[in-house]
Amino acid sequence: MEEYTILRQFADSWMLLLLFAFFVGIVIWVFRPGASKEYNDTANIPFRHQDKPATSKEARQ
């Protein structure tokens, strides 16, 4: 067999399965039960310091 045919068969079978498993893993990671606290905290970053910018001491925390 030539190289293109071998790579094409690999991409059509095992690589497709690997990428699908990776996708499912990412979806499970995003919707895991403990993730909502982390996402809410990240979403509120712009609203933490409404009056003034954070000082360097606050930024390190």
Side-chain angles (χ1 to χ4, degrees):
M1 275 199 243
E2 60 184 74
E3 185 177 0
Y4 174 79
T5 306
I6 293 170
L7 292 175
R8 178 64 192 246
Q9 287 177 353
F10 176 75
D12 286 343
S13 58
W14 293 109
M15 188 56 75
L16 180 63
L17 182 63
L18 177 72
L19 290 176
F20 180 72
F22 181 73
F23 173 76
V24 169
I26 293 295
V27 169
I28 290 171
W29 177 260
V30 168
F31 292 110
R32 72 189 190 278
S36 61
K37 181 183 177 208
E38 179 181 340
Y39 296 143
N40 287 335
D41 185 46
T42 305
N44 289 323
I45 286 175
F47 307 112
R48 285 187 186 160
H49 304 285
Q50 293 180 3
D51 297 335
K52 60 182 179 178
T55 63
S56 60
K57 183 179 177 183
E58 291 174 341
R60 283 185 260 157
Q61 292 179 356

